[in-house]
Amino acid sequence: MHSPVPPPPLSPPSRSPVLRAGIVCGCLALVLLVLVALRWPPLMSLDRTVADALHRRAVTEPGLVHINRILTDWVWDPWTMRLLIAVAVVMLWWRGARMLAGWVAATSLFATLLQQGLKSAVGRERPQWPNPVDSAHYAAFPSGHAMTAVVSCGLLLWLLHRHGVRRRVWRVALAVAWVSVIGVGVTRLYLGVHWMTDVLGGWLLGATVVAFSIAGFARYEGRQQVTLPQRS
């Protein structure tokens, strides 16, 4: 009898589009981080120009300022976003998807720690105004609101996609996510509590974290499928 031919070795998985997107966003975030830390004059000048223009408008529009404060302090506040993630984690755990629940929770926690660590390391001061329309504390870069919105919305969209929701539901969720991510960045700039590059950095870092998290879980699932014992 001939001995069975062993199966060919598994080839290394190719980089997925999500992973490639994460690498691109991570590289851009790193470049931006270095430029902000070095206070590159052209970038600092652009930040100041944008901030001054928006502040001049804000001080003349108290009604719009009030709306923006409600949006940024309640609707798109980081704790609101984290609460949505917590609800999703509890639902996943209750349905038995405990590894996925832990993965989502760990991603959200990691993003928060990364955000706070970079704020402390960079130590960038927020815009200062003689007539501020809002206030915020701690360091400016990256924007915690912007980063948390990207991470939370990105994870929730990923979970909806895995669940296979209807096309109409998916489109609504995608629209809400885009409005939330862009909207929270605009509110932080309009209220004069962040520089433009703070918001951009938050978006890029958030996208990087989400992309690597999704790619990492896909790799984990692939390994689990390979290592499952074959039934006779």
Side-chain angles (χ1 to χ4, degrees), residues 85 107-108 111 146-156 205-207 209-210:
I85 291 296
T107 300
S108 182
M147 185 172 176
T148 305
V150 172
V151 171
S152 300
C153 290
L155 291 174
L156 292 173
L205 287 166
V209 170
V210 172

Side-chain angles (χ1 to χ4, degrees), residues 75-89 92 104-105 107-112 115 143-161 170 173 176-178 180-181 184 202-203 205-211 213-214:
V75 180
W76 296 322
D77 183 77
W79 286 107
T80 302
M81 294 292 173
R82 293 179 188 126
L83 178 60
L84 293 176
I85 291 296
V87 171
V89 167
L92 289 170
V104 171
T107 300
S108 182
L109 177 60
F110 172 77
T112 301
Q115 166 207 132
S143 166
H145 279 69
M147 185 172 176
T148 305
V150 172
V151 171
S152 300
C153 290
L155 291 174
L156 292 173
L157 286 175
W158 174 48
L159 295 177
L160 288 175
H161 186 268
W170 171 254
V176 170
W178 274 107
S180 298
V181 167
V184 73
W203 284 340
L205 287 166
T208 302
V209 170
V210 172
S213 177
I214 294 174

Side-chain angles (χ1 to χ4, degrees), residues 69-230:
R69 292 188 67 173
I70 292 174
L71 290 172
T72 196
D73 292 339
W74 294 97
V75 180
W76 296 322
D77 183 77
W79 286 107
T80 302
M81 294 292 173
R82 293 179 188 126
L83 178 60
L84 293 176
I85 291 296
V87 171
V89 167
V90 170
M91 292 179 63
L92 289 170
W93 190 275
W94 180 69
R95 293 188 175 189
R98 297 188 173 181
M99 181 61 193
L100 181 57
W103 194 278
V104 171
T107 300
S108 182
L109 177 60
F110 172 77
T112 301
L113 295 176
L114 176 63
Q115 166 207 132
Q116 295 300 311
L118 287 175
K119 280 179 177 289
S120 177
V122 177
R124 189 184 196 187
E125 293 186 1
R126 294 177 184 267
Q128 302 293 325
W129 310 105
N131 52 347
V133 298
D134 198 3
S135 62
H137 307 286
Y138 203 39
F141 186 92
S143 166
H145 279 69
M147 185 172 176
T148 305
V150 172
V151 171
S152 300
C153 290
L155 291 174
L156 292 173
L157 286 175
W158 174 48
L159 295 177
L160 288 175
H161 186 268
R162 287 177 59 91
H163 187 66
V165 295
R166 295 179 180 178
R167 183 173 299 178
R168 181 177 299 179
V169 175
W170 171 254
R171 288 177 177 174
V172 171
L174 193 61
V176 170
W178 274 107
V179 170
S180 298
V181 167
I182 296 175
V184 73
V186 171
T187 63
R188 305 307 284 168
L189 294 177
Y190 182 80
L191 294 172
V193 294
H194 271 297
W195 305 104
M196 180 188 66
T197 46
D198 299 338
V199 172
L200 181 57
W203 284 340
L204 289 172
L205 287 166
T208 302
V209 170
V210 172
F212 275 96
S213 177
I214 294 174
F217 195 79
R219 187 176 182 86
Y220 164 78
E221 287 186 314
R223 287 183 174 178
Q224 289 296 107
Q225 292 176 359
V226 170
T227 58
L228 283 176
Q230 296 182 353

